[in-house]
Amino acid sequence: MTQRLDQQIAFLNEADKLKTILRATTLCDGSRAENSGEHSWHLTLYALVLADHAGGGVDINRVIKMLILHDLVEIDAGDNPIFDDIDLAAMHAAEQIAADRIFGLLPVDLRDDLRNTWEEFEAAQTPDAQFAKSLDRFQPPMQNLASGGGSWTDYNVSQEMIAARVGSKINVGAPNLWVYAKTKIATFFESHATK
């Protein structure tokens, strides 16, 4: 029992490092960049509050499980802003290595369960994973809107870029949320074009 508990605590202590990984997206008040731990927590709250926008058969508890785990690999691989130019193959490889190490801290049964949940999220093939991915793409634009543009300004982002890199992902698992976001984003860009 002590060995199992030692492994569980080692994983939990390692997961705390997610709080040190800064993201490009700011907090809603624009006061500072959010960290990946805050992002993961906020996404679980998004899942609880926006569950009525999930498709039929989506298990919100599984979605929450995916969202609390989805960015743990950033402890080693770092955050990759959606509007940054990155080598996707290299990023994927770095995340797989990180997943091996981080989930490998756990007892085998937990390692396999949590790693499989993370892989399901990454693949985005199941309704649960598609809704989770949609929320992961929906939250940053909502924060950018709340903060007056946030990382969109930093990365010189256009409406078209948002639709291509974010909207397409939101639309797969939560089309109503994309309709909402698209309208809010269009209004934002129209109001800022006149300034």
Side-chain angles (χ1 to χ4, degrees), residues 107-120:
V108 173
D109 61 320
L110 282 172
R111 177 200 69 200
D112 292 348
D113 176 46
L114 299 186
R115 174 68 182 262
N116 289 339
T117 301
W118 178 80
E119 293 284 359
E120 181 182 348

Side-chain angles (χ1 to χ4, degrees), residues 28-124:
C28 289
D29 68 4
S31 63
R32 64 173 174 82
E34 76 173 340
N35 67 54
S36 289
E38 292 166 330
H39 169 70
S40 295
W41 161 79
H42 206 198
L43 280 176
T44 63
L45 194 56
Y46 265 65
L48 284 173
V49 172
L50 300 175
D52 58 335
H53 295 279
V58 170
D59 179 345
I60 290 301
N61 289 326
R62 284 192 37 70
V63 170
I64 290 169
K65 184 176 179 181
M66 287 178 195
L67 292 173
I68 206 69
L69 296 171
H70 84 288
D71 275 343
L72 283 174
V73 296
E74 291 183 4
I75 293 166
D76 291 352
D79 178 55
N80 294 292
I82 190 85
F83 296 110
D84 206 359
D85 291 322
I86 55 172
D87 180 339
L88 292 176
M91 179 192 76
H92 179 71
E95 289 180 348
Q96 290 294 321
I97 292 167
D100 290 343
R101 186 189 74 75
I102 295 164
F103 292 115
L105 295 171
L106 288 162
V108 173
D109 61 320
L110 282 172
R111 177 200 69 200
D112 292 348
D113 176 46
L114 299 186
R115 174 68 182 262
N116 289 339
T117 301
W118 178 80
E119 293 284 359
E120 181 182 348
F121 172 84
E122 288 296 307

Side-chain angles (χ1 to χ4, degrees), residues 95-167:
E95 289 180 348
Q96 290 294 321
I97 292 167
D100 290 343
R101 186 189 74 75
I102 295 164
F103 292 115
L105 295 171
L106 288 162
V108 173
D109 61 320
L110 282 172
R111 177 200 69 200
D112 292 348
D113 176 46
L114 299 186
R115 174 68 182 262
N116 289 339
T117 301
W118 178 80
E119 293 284 359
E120 181 182 348
F121 172 84
E122 288 296 307
Q125 297 298 308
T126 66
D128 294 345
Q130 289 169 343
F131 187 62
K133 273 282 191 197
S134 294
L135 293 176
D136 187 37
R137 293 298 186 257
F138 181 71
Q139 183 246 14
M142 294 302 102
Q143 287 187 208
N144 279 331
L145 289 167
S147 68
S151 64
W152 293 340
T153 304
D154 299 338
Y155 286 89
N156 196 27
V157 174
S158 68
Q159 266 184 271
E160 295 76 20
M161 289 171 68
I162 296 168
R165 294 190 187 185
V166 175

